[in-house]
Amino acid sequence: MIRHFRAALSRQASLGLLCAGLALAATTARAQSPAPPAFEYRVQFPAVEQRWMQVEARFPGLPPGPAELRMSRVSPGRYALHEFAKNVFDVQITDGQGRPLASRRPSLHQWDVAGHDGTVVVRYKVFGDRTDGTYLSVDPGHAHINAPAAFMFVRGALMRPARVQFERPAGRAWQVATQLFPTDDPLAFTAPNLHYLMDSPIEFSGFVWRTFTIDDGVHGPQTIRIALHHDGTDAEADDYARDVEKIVRQQMRIFGELPKFDGGTYTFLADYLPWADGDGMEHRNSTVVSNRGALRQPAQRQSILGTVSHEFFHAWNMERIRARAIEPFNYEDANMSDELWFGEGFTNYFDGVALARAGLLTEEQLLGDFAGIINAVTLSPGRQLRSAVDMSRLAPFVDAAASIDRTAWPNLFISYYTYGSAIGFALDLSLRDRSDGAVSGDDYMRAVWQRFGRTPSEPGMVATPYTIADLEAVLAQVSGDRVFAREFFARYVEGRELVDYARLLKRAGLIVRRPQEGRPTLGSVQLSAGAAGVRVASLVAFDAPLARAGVAQDDHLVALDGVELTQPTQVAEILARHRPGDQLALRAVRRSGERFETSVTLAEDQRIDVVPAEQAGQPLSDEMRRFRERWVGVRP
């Protein structure tokens, strides 16, 4: 037995040495084999006035067999299909020696190329005329490039590095702003992989730079850059940069630190122009913020700064704290997630809180936002049908998705921005209420960041994505109460209940009241003058008095309470003479032409607003004052 055992042991040792030798040889071979060559893109602008650009993409180091060239159907940060291939034309494909290659089109988004020599070169033009965070825009003023709308890629090769070379249009001294990594050439940039390239917007124009440096005490000094393309003054640019810095510093306090930006730099690509479209789109080390307007217009300032606050908060929440369902991003189909109530909704809540703490949002404006959130989730019939999780899943249908048919969305859907904001609002106040202000929503976001966002990861990737169960576990940790965490998620996230906002807000000396109490309504509906009376111009809520009376969109109200109708103002005058519960005779015409008579029972207007106790003539205790100051940083 021993002899046989020793012989077996000897054979095992010999086998081990052999395996170790083979492993060493394989490791050495891998170490000696060259890294795959980078994909190369050259971008030219022969005719900016015609709003297209020329792209040459060179894909070397391809394996044998057909290469599958693709245009993305979606864009990182968007969830719906945008079909970027629709703007690509004049496609010419060759091998590495310049020999023409034929392609097969298995879909509108793909070119299959066989017979190449390991290299495929594709030249094409792409049209773009929308300046926002999703599309491409080329004109004599700039090239505003969203990478998925501009660059083809090779299917199955998303981890390949890339280099992008820009050429200036004739006669224009444009410069480049992007989160792509710089080279010695000011017009050439690199990406470590195609995920990062697709996540990297580019502004190529005569913009102005504004920069500031922040040391968070953790990662050392990091640079925040603003590439501002606008038609304003230097003084306006300076004021804007100061406000951006205030926002950045307030949000840094929520998380306890800045993200460790790749290259130590974060870039705002800001376009405020008469022909831009209002938008904001987050990226790992940058964001696009745009608006159809100007910094000099005070009426637009709040919207502009609100977008800045929202998008920068995403540098933590979405870009590094990311749901497992959308990591990695899928460029070939819509991206569905159960967690957008958190990724977008909590961001929506905290962007307003950060603005208030920075002194860029008045208490009145903040409370108006809170009232709007409460009204939206309380009064929408959609909450009776779908939870915040359900609403998140619907993003591909509503996230700037294009369709021409009517839907019942006003009755079925609450934006995950709004619904999630209501949940973030509730969670923050609930934690503060339970702990007498010792624990807050800030603590919760910081804990989520520490567990899921802070882990180092390769640019373009997220190392530790989360699930809803993970978010609940963090709440249990922060609150110290697993039962509370389970109940909160079951009732308000996965369920369709709402917290008692009036009770929670009272801790801050804020009063929830119904300014329209005792006033009647037909429901939240738009009315317009029509040929046969007053036209119902919007969808009627399922539970509205008009719906119960059998009235729908496009019907005409001919007479109400015995009054022949010709103008919407008459309806308001009639309602002013009545009270909730009154039954009014109604004559109407359906859009099909059918006439009918019915009665409508008036309901009470349930909308609320939120006001400070001192404004409502109620006492404000020192405890309420301190609670409010710690929460939103506004001194009553």
Side-chain angles (χ1 to χ4, degrees):
M1 288 288 293
I2 293 176
R3 182 172 57 83
H4 291 162
F5 172 75
R6 287 175 178 167
L9 185 62
S10 177
R11 289 194 299 271
Q12 186 177 357
S14 299
L15 181 60
L17 290 172
L18 175 62
C19 290
L22 291 173
L24 179 62
T27 302
T28 304
R30 282 196 300 269
Q32 293 175 347
S33 62
F39 292 162
E40 300 173 6
Y41 297 87
R42 180 171 294 274
V43 185
Q44 300 170 305
F45 302 90
V48 288
E49 67 282 355
Q50 299 302 319
R51 302 179 187 176
W52 58 266
M53 68 184 193
Q54 179 81 47
V55 178
E56 178 181 290
R58 185 178 186 88
F59 303 120
L62 300 180
E68 299 176 350
L69 310 187
R70 296 277 302 191
M71 282 297 291
S72 181
R73 303 183 69 194
V74 290
S75 182
R78 290 287 187 206
Y79 312 103
L81 298 176
H82 295 286
E83 313 294 19
F84 297 120
K86 65 182 178 293
N87 283 324
V88 171
F89 62 103
D90 193 17
V91 177
Q92 302 174 27
I93 304 174
T94 67
D95 65 11
Q97 303 303 313
R99 292 184 290 263
L101 296 174
S103 64
R104 188 178 68 87
R105 296 291 298 277
S107 75
L108 292 172
H109 326 284
Q110 186 165 318
W111 292 256
D112 288 353
V113 183
H116 58 79
D117 57 358
T119 295
V120 170
V121 180
V122 55
R123 298 174 181 85
Y124 58 93
K125 298 179 176 68
V126 56
F127 177 85
D129 193 22
R130 184 178 174 90
T131 300
D132 68 0
T134 307
Y135 294 97
L136 167 71
S137 178
V138 178
D139 60 44
H142 72 171
H144 185 81
I145 302 170
N146 184 43
F151 299 136
M152 287 189 188
F153 62 91
V154 177
R155 198 178 202 181
L158 290 172
M159 296 309 296
R160 291 284 289 274
R163 177 184 173 90
V164 184
Q165 177 77 53
F166 296 94
E167 293 187 9
R168 293 187 176 102
R172 287 175 169 79
W174 288 357
Q175 56 185 333
V176 176
T178 181
Q179 69 174 25
L180 292 169
F181 296 104
T183 68
D184 292 339
D185 183 341
L187 297 181
F189 298 83
T190 65
N193 54 66
L194 291 189
H195 284 292
Y196 192 76
L197 173 64
M198 291 297 171
D199 189 48
S200 298
I202 300 141
E203 174 70 21
F204 191 25
S205 70
F207 59 82
V208 296
W209 282 114
R210 292 293 185 273
T211 64
F212 54 91
T213 300
I214 293 184
D215 188 341
D216 62 3
V218 179
H219 303 302
Q222 298 193 86
T223 300
I224 311 296
R225 307 186 304 176
I226 302 169
L228 179 59
H229 187 205
H230 74 137
D231 59 357
T233 65
D234 284 344
E236 289 164 356
D238 293 339
D239 288 344
Y240 175 74
R242 278 191 289 269
D243 288 345
V244 171
E245 182 172 357
K246 292 176 184 177
I247 292 167
V248 169
R249 290 187 179 278
Q250 285 298 331
Q251 294 189 2
M252 179 181 69
R253 293 186 180 104
I254 292 173
F255 289 96
E257 62 184 3
L258 288 173
K260 184 173 176 56
F261 298 121
D262 301 301
T265 303
Y266 183 92
T267 306
F268 287 90
L269 307 179
D271 280 86
Y272 303 125
L273 301 162
W275 61 88
D277 289 274
D279 198 9
M281 183 52 59
E282 70 274 9
H283 300 276
R284 182 176 170 95
N285 301 303
S286 67
T287 183
V288 170
V289 285
S290 60
N291 199 288
R292 188 185 297 272
L295 295 175
R296 60 180 171 273
Q297 297 178 7
Q300 292 185 314
R301 187 170 186 79
Q302 196 55 62
S303 174
I304 286 172
L305 293 179
T307 303
V308 167
S309 186
H310 186 92
E311 299 309 322
F312 190 70
F313 199 86
H314 275 319
W316 292 271
N317 192 23
M318 287 299 279
E319 285 305 313
R320 289 165 175 84
I321 304 171
R322 183 175 297 171
R324 185 175 297 169
I326 52 175
E327 174 61 28
F329 204 76
N330 183 357
Y331 304 102
E332 299 187 20
D333 203 353
N335 286 258
M336 188 183 79
S337 166
D338 289 357
E339 297 86 5
L340 292 182
W341 57 270
F342 178 76
E344 294 290 359
F346 273 47
T347 298
N348 209 48
Y349 167 68
F350 279 101
D351 73 41
V353 170
L355 284 173
R357 292 174 182 171
L360 300 173
L361 191 70
T362 67
E363 183 178 65
E364 181 181 7
Q365 290 169 324
L366 182 66
L367 297 185
D369 289 347
F370 289 160
I373 290 166
I374 294 171
N375 282 326
V377 297
T378 302
L379 302 179
S380 170
R383 187 173 56 83
Q384 306 306 318
L385 301 167
R386 289 169 171 156
S387 68
V389 173
D390 297 325
M391 300 300 179
S392 296
R393 292 171 181 153
L394 297 175
F397 291 146
V398 297
D399 182 42
S403 59
I404 60 174
D405 61 324
R406 278 182 172 176
T407 69
W409 285 113
N411 279 336
L412 305 176
F413 179 72
I414 304 171
S415 169
Y416 40 84
Y417 288 84
T418 306
Y419 209 151
S421 188
I423 295 171
F425 182 19
L427 181 63
D428 192 3
L429 286 180
S430 295
L431 287 171
R432 292 174 186 274
D433 177 61
R434 289 167 49 84
S435 65
D436 288 327
V439 180
S440 70
D442 295 39
D443 297 307
Y444 179 70
M445 293 306 301
R446 195 174 303 122
V448 174
W449 164 248
Q450 291 290 334
R451 182 167 174 184
F452 296 103
R454 203 172 186 270
T455 309
S457 59
E458 183 176 356
M461 313 299 290
V462 170
T464 315
Y466 66 84
T467 65
I468 290 180
D470 293 326
L471 296 178
E472 180 183 325
V474 174
L475 181 57
Q477 168 201 329
V478 170
S479 66
D481 190 335
R482 193 171 297 174
V483 174
F484 162 72
R486 175 79 292 264
E487 183 179 82
F488 188 93
F489 272 73
R491 295 176 64 185
Y492 310 126
V493 176
E494 295 154 345
R496 302 193 294 270
E497 297 181 53
L498 294 177
V499 301
D500 185 348
Y501 288 103
R503 185 189 72 77
L504 292 172
L505 284 165
K506 192 173 182 179
R507 289 292 306 267
L510 300 171
I511 307 302
V512 174
R513 65 181 187 182
R514 284 168 44 205
Q516 307 300 323
E517 187 173 5
R519 296 187 183 181
T521 179
L522 294 173
S524 180
V525 66
Q526 296 177 19
L527 302 175
S528 63
V534 172
R535 176 175 169 267
V536 179
S538 65
L539 194 71
V540 181
F542 290 152
D543 54 356
L546 279 179
R548 294 194 185 103
V551 176
Q553 184 174 12
D554 295 330
D555 291 350
H556 284 74
L557 310 182
V558 178
L560 180 64
D561 197 30
V563 178
E564 298 291 323
L565 299 177
T566 58
Q567 295 295 329
T569 54
Q570 293 174 281
V571 175
E573 293 166 359
I574 293 167
L575 294 182
R577 299 195 291 267
H578 289 275
R579 297 192 58 78
D582 289 354
Q583 259 191 1
L584 308 186
L586 174 65
R587 283 192 290 117
V589 179
R590 302 195 193 283
R591 70 178 182 182
S592 63
E594 175 190 352
R595 296 178 177 274
F596 65 102
E597 294 187 7
T598 184
S599 64
V600 58
T601 301
L602 302 180
E604 187 173 27
D605 194 328
Q606 298 293 317
R607 288 173 296 174
I608 62 96
D609 63 10
V610 180
V611 296
E614 60 271 28
Q615 182 180 316
Q618 298 188 22
L620 178 71
S621 68
D622 288 342
E623 181 188 354
M624 291 174 176
R625 184 187 303 274
R626 287 191 296 270
F627 190 102
R628 197 188 307 174
E629 288 181 14
R630 288 195 299 264
W631 173 30
V632 293
V634 176
R635 181 178 294 276

